[in-house]
Amino acid sequence: MPMPFTKSLKQSQKINLAGRQEQINNLRVFNDNVVEMVPLRLYEVRFVTESGLSLNLVIHLPDKFPNIKPIVEVNPPVIHPWVDILGTVDAPGLRNFAQHSDLGMVIQAIRREFDKTGVKLAPRAAGLGKS
């Protein structure tokens, strides 16, 4: 006879998988050109800004997603207060991401912000890390 703990653990894993799939579905609802790179783990949203810049938002879903925030990178890296030199995005919607946040809306907000501010490509960091 299985222990009650085992049953509740399996149920929580199913809920997490269901929550993950719901977030992925919302990503597709609010964003065009969503490409599944690795099922349930890695997605890419391809878009062109109003200024004609082709960008990709790469969305990494950690094992504990949606209980913890996704990691989002913009490729190629751009100059924007939300983006570090490596292209990692730290938007307010990501900083405050919680289980009941909407991944699709967060990614849409990042795309709109990049349109609104007219981002430019970051210069190549050729000598980065060299002394």
Side-chain angles (χ1 to χ4, degrees), residues 2-12:
M3 300 288 292
F5 174 75
T6 306
K7 185 177 179 184
S8 66
L9 180 61
K10 287 180 182 178
Q11 287 174 340
S12 71

Side-chain angles (χ1 to χ4, degrees), residues 21-84:
Q21 190 60 58
E22 183 178 343
Q23 291 283 358
I24 293 165
N25 292 343
N26 287 341
L27 178 65
R28 290 186 172 116
V29 166
F30 286 96
N31 299 278
D32 294 328
N33 303 315
V34 175
V35 179
E36 183 176 63
M37 307 302 281
V38 179
L40 301 172
R41 298 235 174 246
L42 184 65
Y43 293 83
E44 190 172 89
V45 176
R46 300 171 181 170
F47 66 104
V48 177
T49 65
E50 290 178 6
S51 62
L53 190 59
S54 294
L55 298 174
N56 299 323
L57 290 174
V58 181
I59 303 142
H60 303 264
L61 305 180
D63 288 341
K64 295 186 179 185
F65 178 84
N67 297 326
I68 63 172
K69 70 180 182 175
I71 298 165
V72 178
E73 298 170 341
V74 60
N75 189 18
V78 297
I79 299 170
H80 188 278
W82 293 354
V83 181
D84 70 14

Side-chain angles (χ1 to χ4, degrees), residues 23 65-66 68-70 93-99 101-103 106:
Q23 291 283 358
F65 178 84
I68 63 172
K69 70 180 182 175
L94 292 171
R95 270 182 250 134
N96 301 317
F97 196 89
Q99 183 177 1
S101 298
D102 188 317
L103 178 63
V106 169

Side-chain angles (χ1 to χ4, degrees), residues 78-128:
V78 297
I79 299 170
H80 188 278
W82 293 354
V83 181
D84 70 14
I85 193 164
L86 300 174
T88 304
V89 180
D90 186 30
L94 292 171
R95 270 182 250 134
N96 301 317
F97 196 89
Q99 183 177 1
H100 298 291
S101 298
D102 188 317
L103 178 63
M105 292 179 74
V106 169
I107 298 301
Q108 181 185 58
I110 294 168
R111 287 183 22 245
R112 287 181 175 171
E113 171 67 14
F114 288 174
D115 272 337
K116 184 177 83 174
T117 59
V119 294
K120 296 195 181 342
L121 291 179
R124 301 239 182 240
L128 188 65

